[in-house]
């Protein structure tokens, strides 16, 4: 039986019965989607979808207040399960099947740079999902940029080696568990060291002044602000670099660093940095700051930045899996980050804050029509 002949049809009564957290269906016209698995990660919160369960959501998709992007609509196709049988007529059923068949034949001819976002077809995708992806993506060449921004709702396996694969996965709670004890210890160390009143800035000049212990909270906050700038720069210039189409190794590195996150944005074990990898970057900033400033001052800036990093990773995880209250700061931040993934991959590089998107002109418009 061909795919076009295996379309399932549901009555209006059947659709109306699926209006709970355990089973939530919505419609666009006669097309039915089982969005149960999407409730938790919906940018607007699960209550917004539940209130429209069993109903036609075309008006909400078109907006206002928010018109969903083409990529968001393609993402939704992953949850398509069948058609609404309005009167059971043979002509209507045949028309739906013909429409489905036409879509299947034309999907590869779609002129949009971002192709239809749907479940991975193991037989036709550009990579073999039955094998580790890390060593395959470099062969995509000029097709990589388009492919990596066609998000899928499935986990990614990077390496065949079990140890290497495990080292790329991290539960969210590992970040505060590893780094917050260090933040607390270094904060105590900096405060007690500054309390000795031996730390002076510009000590070898006539303009030296004492760095007082009561200035530690301010230095800590400055360190946090410094982190937000570093976060922006890393995300924009490293994670979103455009690897040359002919360079297998740069494409592979890009995919390992960040491309895999855009390909599978809801892979829950790859939303925060593994501590081993993060320690290399964190250690580098520690050395840089302690060489540029007196030790206690440099460490004070560093510990503020380290705390900023922990906050950043926790916010990033929450933006993907949390359900913030409507009209809250995190609610708008989540909508902003979702736009970055599905609509504006070359803008919206701030994650914990949009502060630096303003001066560098990479702010995502509030509405996209």
């Amino acid at each position: 039986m061909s795919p076009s002949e295996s379309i399932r049809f549901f009555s209006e009564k059947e659709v109306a019965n699926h209006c709970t957290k355990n089973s939530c269906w919505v419609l666009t016209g006669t097309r039915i989607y089982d969005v149960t698995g999407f409730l938790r990660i919906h940018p607007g919160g699960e209550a917004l979808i539940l209130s429209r369960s069993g109903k036609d959501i075309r008006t909400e998709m078109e907006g206002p207040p928010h018109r969903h992007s083409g990529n968001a609509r393609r993402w939704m196709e992953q949850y398509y399960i069948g058609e609404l049988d309005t009167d059971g007529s043979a002509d209507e059923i045949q028309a739906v099947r013909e429409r489905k068949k036409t879509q299947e034949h034309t999907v590869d001819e779609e002129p949009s740079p971002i192709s239809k976002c749907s479940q991975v077809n193991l037989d036709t995708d550009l990579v073999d999902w039955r094998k580790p992806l890390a060593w395959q993506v470099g062969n995509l060449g000029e097709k990589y940029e388009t492919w990596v921004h066609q998000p899928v709702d499935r986990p990614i396996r990077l390496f065949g080696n079990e140890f290497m694969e495990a080292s790329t996965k991290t539960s969210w709670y590992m970040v505060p568990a590893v780094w917050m004890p260090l933040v607390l210890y270094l904060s105590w160390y900096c405060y007690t060291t500054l309390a000795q009143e031996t730390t002076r800035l510009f000590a070898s000049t006539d303009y030296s002044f004492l760095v007082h212990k009561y200035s530690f909270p301010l230095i800590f906050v400055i360190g946090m602000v410094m982190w937000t700038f570093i976060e922006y720069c890393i995300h924009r210039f490293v994670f979103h670099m455009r690897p040359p189409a002919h360079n297998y190794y740069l494409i592979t590195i890009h995919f390992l660093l960040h491309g895999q996150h855009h390909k599978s944005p809801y892979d829950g074990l790859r939303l925060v940095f593994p501590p081993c990898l993060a320690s290399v970057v964190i250690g580098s900033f520690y050395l840089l700051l302690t060489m540029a400033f007196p030790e206690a001052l440099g460490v004070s800036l560093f510990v503020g930045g380290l705390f900023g990093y922990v906050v950043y990773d926790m916010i990033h995880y929450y933006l993907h899996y949390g359900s913030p209250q409507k009209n809250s700061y995190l609610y708008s931040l989540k909508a902003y980050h979702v736009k970055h993934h599905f609509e504006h991959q070359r803008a919206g590089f701030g994650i914990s804050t949009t502060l630096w998107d303003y001066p560098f002109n990479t702010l995502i418009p509030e509405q996209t029509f």
Side-chain angles (χ1 to χ4, degrees):
M1 181 179 293
S2 68
S4 60
E5 295 175 337
S6 62
I7 299 175
R8 295 186 63 188
F9 289 84
F10 302 89
S11 67
E12 293 183 359
K13 184 177 180 180
E14 286 180 291
V15 174
N17 287 333
H18 296 270
C19 56
T20 68
K21 288 184 179 181
N22 296 324
S23 184
C24 180
W25 294 4
V26 295
L27 301 93
T28 60
T30 61
R31 294 176 67 79
I32 303 172
Y33 301 87
D34 182 354
V35 294
T36 309
F38 185 64
L39 289 176
R40 186 179 172 214
I41 58 180
H42 178 238
E46 61 182 30
L48 199 60
I49 297 183
L50 283 172
S51 67
R52 293 166 173 79
S53 58
K55 301 177 183 177
D56 191 333
I57 60 170
R58 283 178 295 180
T59 301
E60 286 76 11
M61 294 289 287
E62 286 296 328
H66 172 62
R67 183 181 182 184
H68 290 70
S69 69
N71 215 5
R73 296 165 191 266
R74 294 171 188 126
W75 176 275
M76 186 175 176
E77 290 304 313
Q78 297 179 102
Y79 308 112
Y80 173 76
I81 58 172
E83 298 283 334
L84 183 66
D85 187 5
T86 54
D87 57 15
S89 68
D91 289 342
E92 182 175 342
I93 293 175
Q94 182 61 30
V96 170
R97 287 175 175 169
E98 289 298 324
R99 185 180 70 203
K100 180 73 173 178
K101 185 182 297 184
T102 301
Q103 290 174 342
E104 290 171 352
H105 286 306
T106 59
V107 65
D108 293 332
E109 302 171 1
E110 185 177 2
S112 172
I114 303 175
S115 66
K116 189 179 182 67
C117 180
S118 60
Q119 293 178 340
V120 173
N121 188 319
L122 298 178
D123 297 319
T124 62
D125 200 83
L126 296 178
V127 298
D128 187 349
W129 285 82
R130 289 160 290 205
K131 299 177 182 179
L133 299 188
W135 312 126
Q136 298 186 60
V137 294
N139 296 316
L140 294 179
E142 61 185 14
K143 297 179 181 179
Y144 171 75
E145 182 69 17
T146 299
W147 176 85
V148 81
H149 288 127
Q150 297 170 357
V152 296
D153 189 10
R154 63 168 292 157
I156 286 176
R157 185 175 182 92
L158 294 175
F159 302 105
N161 181 275
E162 294 295 338
F163 176 78
M164 292 181 65
E165 177 69 7
S167 68
T168 66
K169 298 180 178 181
T170 308
S171 299
W172 69 266
Y173 54 80
M174 288 301 297
V175 174
V178 170
W179 298 115
M180 282 308 296
L182 185 59
V183 169
L184 295 173
Y185 169 75
L186 289 180
S187 296
W188 171 83
Y189 169 80
C190 291
Y191 183 81
T192 55
T193 302
L194 292 176
Q196 297 175 10
E197 299 188 352
T198 58
T199 302
R200 305 188 69 88
L201 194 59
F202 308 119
S204 60
T205 70
D206 295 334
Y207 303 99
S208 68
F209 60 89
L210 178 69
V211 181
H212 201 277
K213 64 180 180 181
Y214 294 126
S215 64
F216 173 73
L218 175 61
I219 300 170
F220 187 94
V221 171
I222 293 174
M224 290 184 64
V225 175
M226 286 173 55
W227 163 254
T228 63
F229 179 68
I230 294 168
E231 164 198 319
Y232 175 89
C233 290
I234 291 176
H235 191 193
R236 179 179 180 181
F237 299 111
V238 179
F239 291 169
H240 279 274
M241 68 171 181
R242 290 192 176 186
H246 62 275
N247 196 311
Y248 171 92
Y249 297 102
L250 284 181
I251 291 176
T252 301
I253 291 172
H254 177 268
F255 185 71
L256 293 176
L257 285 176
H258 196 60
Q260 48 86 16
H261 175 54
H262 271 261
K263 187 64 181 175
S264 181
Y266 294 104
D267 188 342
L269 292 177
R270 289 200 173 96
L271 287 176
V272 298
F273 277 98
C276 290
L277 178 61
S279 63
V280 176
V281 179
I282 289 171
S284 299
F285 282 112
Y286 175 84
L287 293 175
L288 181 64
L289 288 171
T290 52
M291 289 191 305
F293 299 98
E295 182 187 14
L297 177 58
V299 176
S300 296
L301 288 169
F302 167 78
V303 72
L306 181 58
F307 181 71
Y309 159 70
V310 174
V311 172
Y312 146 79
D313 245 354
M314 294 300 95
I315 286 179
H316 184 221
Y317 186 88
Y318 187 76
L319 296 185
H320 281 264
Y321 277 104
S323 296
Q325 185 177 356
K326 191 172 183 179
N327 298 324
S328 66
Y329 173 72
L330 287 175
Y331 183 89
S332 61
L333 206 58
K334 177 166 184 170
Y336 188 81
H337 190 59
V338 169
K339 284 185 179 182
H340 167 73
H341 271 280
F342 290 93
E343 192 174 357
H344 295 275
Q345 291 90 359
R346 296 299 169 188
F349 299 110
I351 295 176
S352 58
T353 175
T354 61
L355 171 66
W356 300 105
D357 281 314
Y358 285 91
F360 291 103
N361 198 31
T362 55
L363 189 72
I364 296 175
E366 284 192 18
Q367 296 297 336
T368 303
F369 293 97

